[in-house]
Amino acid sequence: MRWLSCFLFLVMAANNHLSVVADDVVDFNRDIRPILSENCFHCHGPDAEQRQADLRLDEHDGALSSIIVGDRDKSELFARVNTRDDDLRMPPVDSNRNLTSEQIELLGKWIDQGANWGQHWSWTPIVSPEVPKIEDLAEFPVRNAIDAFIRRKLDEEKLTPSPEAKKSTLIRRVTLDLTGLPPTPQEVEKFLNDTSPAAYEKLVDRLLASPAYGERMAWNWLDAARYADSNGYQGDRERTMWPWRDWVVNASNDNLPYDDFTTWQIAGDLLPDATFEQKLATGFCRNHMINGEGGRIAAENRVDYVMDMSETTATLWLGLTFNCCRCHDHKFDALSQKDYYSLFAFFNQTPVTGAGGNPQTKPILLAPTDEQSKQMQSLESQLKVARGDLATYSKELDAKESTWEAAKLESLKESETWTPLLAKSVRAEHQQLEQLEDGSIFASGPNPKNDTYEVVAPLTPQSLTGLRLDVLRHESHFQGGLARSNSGNFVLTELEVFLVNGDEESPVKIRSAEASFEQGSLKVAGVFDGNRKSGWAVYDGKPVDRDHAALFRFENPVEAVQGAELRIVLRHDSQHASHNIGRFLLSTSTVPHPKLDEAGNQSLRLALLTPTEKRTDEQKKLLRQAHQNDDSRHIKLSKNVSDLEKRFNSVRAAVAKVMVMEDQQEFRESFLLTRGLYNAPGDVVTADSPTSLPPMPTETKKDRLALAEWLVADENPLMARVVVNRFWQQVFGVGIVKTVNDFGVQGELPTHEELLNWLAADFRNSGWNVKRLIKQMVMSHTYRQSSKVTPSLFERDPENRLLARAPRYRLPSWMIRDQALAVSGLLTNRRGGPSVNVYQPPGIWEEATFGKKKYVQDHGEALYRRSLYVFWRRIIGPTIFFDNSSRQTCTVSAFRTNTPLHSLLTFNDVTYVEAGRALAEKALHLDATSDRDRLEYVFQRSLARSAEDEEATILLAGLNRSRSEYKSHPEYASEMLAIGESERDQSLDDVEHASWTSLCLAILNLDETLSKE
């Protein structure tokens, strides 16, 4: 007979609808606009490019061109929708749209009644309606304005509200709603024993003041703000936006007024003397995905990011589907493509270029934890003292430098194994070479692609064993390097040495060589191998910033006689242009086995030999550093400073870097992008509000701060309605407007429009007080009533839109996890900080990232933190949250699912099995004499109520079956108890503990446990 009752219900509904046509005044917004929007606006709406026959039915004047007011029979509009001629009928046959006979009759009656028009309800100014006068009944009290509006609607529908829920149900319901956690048995007992009229209000006030309140409120905003711990896309690099997440929690707990909550996140950086928190709040805008894939065009990325900011703002504060305007005018709402890019322009001043995939793309804000701040402050204080001590002693040391120089020069002479060559002649094929006073040879003039140098130096009678080449920096070189190349680097391709005795010249063979540094394959051995394609170079990935040297050992000692000379040829024939040595010094040695000491010793010797008044700044710096490096006390003081700096930098490096908002210095023009393409700019647009909404003040500078101020202005008809509606959805399960993301003409009409207007006006007039708004909702009888439903009421209102009963629905997966941890006693109360990696099946990240991302599970208390702090990888969210948004884009609609597959997770995932084990251990530690007493304890912790006798009989029978099974297979018990990392009491009997674990796991999976009653 169920089908018959459904049929009768449909007949009654149809008759009720027809009664509106027959007797009632047709309301344009309620009855007519939805018909036109669904069936006509696609071809006769706001989108000029798609408009047919130059007819607009989204505006009154346009509609009147096809209507004879008061006479449907003479109206072209009615004739077209009512005709049976397929060639004339509207909507066209091939449009897949079709008006019902009831809709056609409504249009006819509307025309007959005068075709009155009305502005779309959400575009009208917010005016607080008068609260209805409703009789206050003992069983159904009118506790506040919410109840009055709900009751009036119920009276119109000839329905009555439900009586108040039991206190045990009520405390669990409101505790879950306001904190996301279940009440403790102690809290339940205290509430049940409090018989005062203010007992429930005291409970609500306590929950609103709980730190857990902010964590619960934050979850929905993180979904809306597309918060995640990684960039998304293929690379999906990790980011550190969690300080912004913690700011959201704190803002909720501090009850930050919602207009400030709005302004800070959109434009906190533009506020006068912006605080750290106000700048941090703008991380909201930067929560978008970042595309770092190879080959991606930076400019396209940047446009995508700005579009994301614009569309997210429009969804959250205007409730409008602005994304429909990227490529053309909106097909249903009074929003043009120009409106889209005018909003886009507010965010288009970001300095972000779109290049790369850096998850800390500037501008960034360092957001240290309290502990990090303390450490850095302490180290900064120590550094200030240490640097002061070092500076004072350095001045004392400077006064003694001349004495040190004399002693140092003498010391170098005594230990010197190399003697600089004083050239008789120096020349180059293209440049000018000259020998400076310090003996070094300097190249100047035009810098050719290649060059060859020749140096001839007289010798005294001696036996030479090696030649040294020091390549020296000079301030005229590239960034003070060794050459005038574009890196300060050189490539010496060949070095030739000849002994000249009168008219005779003989080559000197080189046996081996070593250098202070060698660049890759460009080894020093390549300068005497006879191959001009090889050679020696010293580039180390950055412009060369130190001197270098090479030692060439002769195959046999060179015996020089009186009058002999050494001719040295240096060739630069590299394919790398202009890599010619710019300044060098040649020295010889007579020791049997010459060694290459530090290149700096030669530079130091040259500096000491240079008269004080002729020393370069580089030489002065070199001498001062050498003096300091020779002094033990200076070394100790320097090391102290260096150690402190390392510790400070180490702490600073670990500080989270949050991407935040700034506007760039140079103004960037914005354009209407043809078809939404980044590289198809059309007309120039300027930042402004949509033309169909109240305008911004003309004298206001049109920046993000102006946008935020416009959003929260009293004149804006959307924001307060949109925000209140989302909070209503959070508390009651469904918004007064079901389409929480769409307040346009395609969105659902509000079930209680006057209630929504009253709440919006009251919220705005209260100073945007969120806790006050939430308290109003949960204090109402509408919220406090029972969720039990009769068959007749369910058939009348299956979705509970009229609220004749309290909503009952499945808890979100994140709350189910937190509840299991709290009930079992595993939940840790640590708040804030970096996200954590909890239990997850192996291979999930690896599968999604081609093995590039390895999941490393945390341990200890990190496994038992609230779901809010679980690491969220954008391309594959935490598997334990089976009903949540992906957080890739802004999401405000509630996710709710009851698919049976989820029981596989809640029965088998490590988190839930471990929670069952921990809860069982608590029950077994209870000073109880019977299984019934222990079951009562588990019920109180899980459901805030006692187990009924029938429930107890069924569950305890299951407990005994488990005991029998585990006794027969004790290995099964051991396997069950080994799940999870928390320690268990090994003194408990395995069979008993495993049996109770199975029972507790079953209770954690009861429909009532998983639902909000």
Side-chain angles (χ1 to χ4, degrees):
M1 297 297 290
R2 177 64 183 268
W3 66 270
L4 179 60
S5 63
C6 290
F7 172 74
L8 293 173
F9 168 70
L10 291 172
V11 171
M12 291 170 60
N15 289 337
N16 184 57
H17 187 68
L18 288 174
S19 70
V20 174
V21 177
D23 303 317
D24 297 346
V25 174
V26 178
D27 181 272
F28 175 78
N29 273 322
R30 181 192 65 202
D31 303 318
I32 302 304
R33 191 191 296 274
I35 297 174
L36 298 178
S37 174
E38 180 63 27
N39 298 283
C40 309
F41 282 7
H42 186 79
C43 298
H44 303 292
D47 187 356
E49 292 187 6
Q50 295 292 321
R51 193 177 302 135
Q52 304 295 313
D54 197 28
L55 172 64
R56 292 193 69 166
L57 295 179
D58 63 309
E59 293 182 344
H60 196 198
D61 291 343
L64 289 177
S65 67
S66 61
I67 292 173
I68 301 300
V69 175
D71 192 341
R72 74 173 77 181
D73 295 331
K74 294 181 179 180
S75 297
E76 181 70 11
L77 173 65
F78 186 78
R80 286 300 192 98
V81 300
N82 197 40
T83 183
R84 295 184 179 181
D85 187 335
D86 287 350
D87 292 333
L88 297 177
R89 196 187 67 155
M90 290 292 165
V93 175
D94 60 1
S95 69
N96 295 318
R97 291 178 172 85
N98 188 40
L99 268 64
T100 65
S101 58
E102 289 85 359
Q103 290 174 322
I104 293 171
E105 181 59 26
L106 271 172
L107 285 170
K109 187 165 187 181
W110 170 63
I111 294 170
D112 291 344
Q113 291 180 359
N116 291 322
W117 202 262
Q119 188 177 21
H120 182 54
W121 72 271
S122 65
W123 257 259
T124 61
I126 297 175
V127 177
S128 182
E130 183 178 348
V131 178
K133 300 287 193 298
I134 302 295
E135 183 181 1
D136 193 0
L137 303 176
E139 194 175 10
F140 316 122
V142 177
R143 299 185 183 277
N144 57 27
I146 292 173
D147 292 333
F149 285 106
I150 295 295
R151 278 282 302 279
R152 182 173 68 181
K153 185 79 170 182
L154 290 174
D155 290 348
E156 292 171 357
E157 298 290 333
K158 295 180 172 52
L159 293 172
T160 58
S162 299
E164 186 165 304
K166 294 185 295 185
K167 290 184 76 174
S168 59
T169 300
L170 204 51
I171 186 173
R172 181 172 182 266
R173 177 193 299 172
V174 73
T175 306
L176 285 169
D177 272 338
L178 297 189
T179 68
L181 298 172
T184 66
Q186 295 76 17
E187 291 167 344
V188 173
E189 183 180 12
K190 181 178 180 181
F191 178 61
L192 295 181
N193 291 336
D194 189 345
T195 58
S196 69
Y200 180 71
E201 184 171 11
K202 287 188 290 184
L203 168 64
V204 170
D205 288 341
R206 176 178 63 78
L207 296 172
L208 290 172
S210 166
Y213 165 82
E215 293 174 318
R216 187 271 168 271
M217 297 297 287
W219 186 278
N220 297 63
W221 190 248
L222 298 193
D223 283 346
R226 66 266 190 259
Y227 167 84
D229 295 298
S230 67
N231 284 349
Y233 296 103
Q234 186 174 344
D236 207 22
R237 294 173 61 185
E238 295 77 15
R239 53 174 62 175
T240 53
M241 297 296 287
W242 58 262
W244 174 83
R245 175 205 66 202
D246 292 350
W247 173 84
V248 174
V249 174
N250 293 333
S252 298
N253 279 329
D254 294 341
N255 201 24
L256 183 70
Y258 207 85
D259 56 344
D260 288 340
F261 186 75
T262 298
T263 301
W264 290 17
Q265 292 186 89
I266 293 176
D269 59 304
L270 299 179
L271 290 168
D273 302 317
T275 65
F276 171 82
E277 284 77 14
Q278 288 167 339
K279 294 176 183 177
L280 176 61
T282 65
F284 161 82
C285 294
R286 301 291 305 282
N287 275 326
H288 57 74
M289 297 170 70
I290 293 179
N291 192 338
E293 295 178 356
R296 180 71 177 180
I297 299 169
E300 185 175 11
N301 281 344
R302 188 188 66 77
V303 168
D304 282 352
Y305 303 160
V306 176
M307 285 179 168
D308 179 277
M309 296 180 203
S310 308
E311 293 168 12
T312 298
T313 299
T315 298
L316 292 181
W317 284 285
L318 297 175
L320 298 177
T321 54
F322 249 72
N323 56 310
C324 294
C325 306
R326 276 194 187 189
C327 308
H328 48 72
D329 293 342
H330 205 290
K331 294 188 181 301
F332 305 101
D333 295 329
L335 299 170
S336 66
Q337 190 181 15
K338 182 180 178 182
D339 287 334
Y340 180 95
Y341 288 100
S342 294
L343 179 62
F344 176 99
F346 285 106
F347 300 95
N348 198 32
Q349 301 311 313
T350 171
V352 174
T353 65
N358 185 358
Q360 281 92 35
T361 301
K362 292 181 179 179
I364 58 172
L365 181 70
L366 293 179
T369 63
D370 291 342
E371 182 60 30
Q372 288 171 330
S373 294
K374 290 177 183 177
Q375 289 178 340
M376 288 194 292
Q377 288 172 4
S378 173
L379 289 168
E380 281 180 328
S381 298
Q382 295 177 58
L383 269 170
K384 184 177 181 180
V385 174
R387 285 169 177 159
D389 292 343
L390 181 60
T392 299
Y393 186 69
S394 294
K395 287 182 180 179
E396 296 176 10
L397 208 58
D398 289 344
K400 305 174 183 178
E401 187 161 322
S402 58
T403 304
W404 171 84
E405 287 180 9
K408 188 67 175 178
L409 182 58
E410 190 62 31
S411 171
L412 289 176
K413 286 180 180 179
E414 292 175 358
S415 61
E416 186 61 75
T417 59
W418 296 98
T419 303
L421 289 174
L422 296 177
K424 171 184 173 182
S425 65
V426 294
R427 71 178 186 86
E429 288 185 0
H430 301 290
Q431 301 177 77
Q432 289 78 48
L433 297 183
E434 63 173 317
Q435 188 159 34
L436 305 179
E437 289 189 18
D438 60 9
S440 64
I441 298 169
F442 179 71
S444 61
N447 191 20
K449 180 180 178 181
N450 303 105
D451 209 348
T452 300
Y453 304 161
E454 181 186 83
V455 178
V456 179
L459 300 173
T460 60
Q462 55 187 321
S463 180
L464 303 178
T465 56
L467 176 71
R468 174 185 175 120
L469 169 63
D470 282 279
V471 187
L472 308 170
R473 289 169 293 165
H474 193 272
E475 57 192 13
S476 66
H477 298 158
F478 178 79
Q479 295 190 11
L482 304 175
R484 290 185 283 168
S485 63
N486 58 6
S487 62
N489 188 27
F490 64 88
V491 181
L492 179 64
T493 57
E494 205 71 23
L495 182 140
E496 301 165 6
V497 184
F498 301 91
L499 178 63
V500 180
N501 283 309
D503 294 334
E504 295 182 4
E505 182 178 87
S506 57
V508 177
K509 291 185 178 181
I510 299 172
R511 172 171 55 85
S512 63
E514 63 179 277
S516 56
F517 180 79
E518 295 172 316
Q519 174 189 332
S521 62
L522 295 174
K523 309 292 187 182
V524 71
V527 305
F528 58 94
D529 61 357
N531 181 3
R532 294 188 180 182
K533 292 185 178 180
S534 61
W536 175 46
V538 295
Y539 184 69
D540 190 21
K542 61 180 180 179
V544 182
D545 58 1
R546 64 188 180 99
D547 298 337
H548 283 280
L551 157 65
F552 302 94
R553 298 184 184 91
F554 299 149
E555 187 172 283
N556 297 302
V558 174
E559 303 298 337
V561 299
Q562 189 66 36
E565 294 176 337
L566 208 59
R567 185 168 73 91
I568 303 146
V569 179
L570 295 87
R571 300 187 185 278
H572 308 87
D573 297 324
S574 168
Q575 62 180 342
H576 301 288
S578 305
H579 278 53
N580 308 305
I581 293 174
R583 178 178 169 228
F584 61 96
L585 177 71
L586 294 168
S587 307
T588 59
S589 179
T590 59
V591 300
H593 303 288
K595 294 181 180 180
L596 183 67
D597 57 5
E598 288 296 324
N601 277 351
Q602 279 292 69
S603 300
L604 178 61
R605 182 179 180 281
L606 293 175
L608 288 168
L609 291 171
T610 302
T612 304
E613 67 277 4
K614 293 185 178 182
R615 288 173 182 166
T616 64
D617 290 342
E618 188 68 30
Q619 287 176 320
K620 293 175 183 176
K621 181 180 178 181
L622 175 63
L623 290 171
R624 189 167 189 262
Q625 287 178 341
H627 185 196
Q628 292 172 348
N629 291 339
D630 274 358
D631 187 89
S632 59
R633 185 179 175 194
H634 194 281
I635 291 172
K636 182 178 180 180
L637 292 172
S638 295
K639 186 177 184 303
N640 185 37
V641 171
S642 177
D643 289 347
L644 288 170
E645 287 175 341
K646 287 178 181 177
R647 288 169 58 193
F648 179 84
N649 291 334
S650 176
V651 175
R652 184 182 175 89
V655 170
K657 299 176 180 64
V658 181
M659 294 182 287
V660 293
M661 291 297 285
E662 287 179 8
D663 284 351
Q664 62 180 20
Q665 294 296 316
E666 182 180 353
F667 180 79
R668 180 187 287 122
E669 275 194 324
S670 298
F671 302 90
L672 188 152
L673 300 180
T674 306
R675 298 185 304 281
L677 299 175
Y678 79 98
N679 58 352
D683 295 338
V684 174
V685 296
T686 56
D688 209 346
S689 55
T691 54
S692 59
L693 291 169
M696 288 183 168
T698 54
E699 70 280 1
T700 300
K701 178 185 177 183
K702 303 294 178 64
D703 57 12
R704 283 180 288 111
L705 182 57
L707 172 65
E709 291 171 344
W710 174 79
L711 288 173
V712 302
D714 288 353
E715 293 76 17
N716 187 339
L718 286 166
M719 177 180 154
R721 286 175 170 133
V722 169
V723 172
V724 162
N725 190 61
R726 277 204 308 274
F727 283 125
W728 186 274
Q729 174 186 256
Q730 180 178 312
V731 172
F732 289 98
V734 181
I736 296 174
V737 177
K738 187 176 183 179
T739 52
V740 290
N741 63 326
D742 188 2
F743 272 50
V745 297
Q746 284 292 94
E748 186 178 290
L749 292 172
T751 54
H752 301 79
E753 183 178 344
E754 286 197 327
L755 170 58
L756 181 59
N757 289 337
W758 186 89
L759 286 169
D762 185 70
F763 182 46
R764 182 188 63 194
N765 297 338
S766 73
W768 305 92
N769 189 325
V770 176
K771 285 189 177 182
R772 179 178 179 273
L773 172 66
I774 298 296
K775 182 175 179 179
Q776 283 177 314
M777 293 181 185
V778 301
M779 288 297 295
S780 67
H781 178 77
T782 304
Y783 177 83
R784 293 157 68 169
Q785 64 187 330
S786 170
S787 63
K788 290 182 179 179
V789 57
T790 62
S792 59
L793 179 56
F794 182 80
E795 286 194 285
R796 181 71 183 279
D797 186 15
E799 292 187 4
N800 195 29
R801 302 302 306 284
L802 299 175
L803 291 169
R805 64 185 188 276
R808 183 190 189 280
Y809 51 81
R810 178 67 61 91
L811 296 173
S813 56
W814 67 266
M815 196 180 291
I816 292 174
R817 175 182 176 273
D818 286 357
Q819 174 181 247
L821 293 177
V823 165
S824 66
L826 291 172
L827 184 70
T828 177
N829 288 325
R830 183 185 170 194
R831 294 183 169 85
S835 299
V836 295
N837 289 338
V838 297
Y839 298 120
Q840 180 168 291
I844 301 294
W845 281 13
E846 291 78 358
E847 177 80 15
T849 63
F850 306 100
K852 294 181 180 178
K853 299 293 181 183
K854 307 291 184 183
Y855 190 80
V856 180
Q857 179 195 296
D858 285 321
H859 303 281
E861 72 166 14
L863 295 172
Y864 314 110
R865 298 195 65 193
R866 291 200 67 172
S867 298
L868 185 74
Y869 304 113
V870 172
F871 187 96
W872 200 285
R873 182 162 294 286
R874 188 99 61 170
I875 62 171
I876 178 72
T879 54
I880 201 167
F881 304 137
F882 46 73
D883 60 355
N884 212 83
S885 71
S886 66
R887 294 194 177 167
Q888 295 183 355
T889 55
C890 170
T891 305
V892 292
S893 299
F895 283 81
R896 197 165 295 126
T897 177
N898 296 324
T899 179
L901 288 175
H902 296 159
S903 63
L904 290 174
L905 187 146
T906 53
F907 264 112
N908 295 282
D909 186 87
V910 176
T911 297
Y912 294 100
V913 176
E914 183 180 23
R917 170 169 65 79
L919 180 56
E921 185 169 310
K922 282 183 172 294
L924 291 171
H925 281 149
L926 194 68
D927 185 15
T929 58
S930 68
D931 289 342
R932 185 69 168 82
D933 289 342
R934 290 191 170 88
L935 179 65
E936 179 72 10
Y937 173 79
V938 173
F939 254 67
Q940 288 292 349
R941 290 190 68 88
S942 303
L943 294 170
R945 69 171 178 86
S946 298
E948 297 179 2
D949 290 342
E950 185 178 3
E951 293 172 323
T953 299
I954 295 171
L955 290 169
L956 292 178
L959 174 67
N960 288 325
R961 286 195 299 272
S962 295
R963 284 169 173 159
S964 176
E965 178 73 12
Y966 286 131
K967 282 180 181 178
S968 301
H969 299 281
E971 68 276 13
Y972 294 170
S974 299
E975 290 175 8
M976 167 77 84
L977 298 176
I979 296 174
E981 293 190 5
S982 61
E983 293 185 6
R984 65 171 289 257
D985 186 350
Q986 300 290 336
S987 66
L988 294 175
D989 177 73
D990 283 6
V991 169
E992 192 69 4
H993 194 179
S995 300
W996 274 96
T997 297
S998 296
L999 176 62
C1000 290
L1001 186 57
I1003 293 172
L1004 290 175
N1005 277 274
L1006 291 175
D1007 179 67
E1008 183 179 348
T1009 313
L1010 300 177
S1011 300
K1012 168 182 151 178
E1013 288 284 344

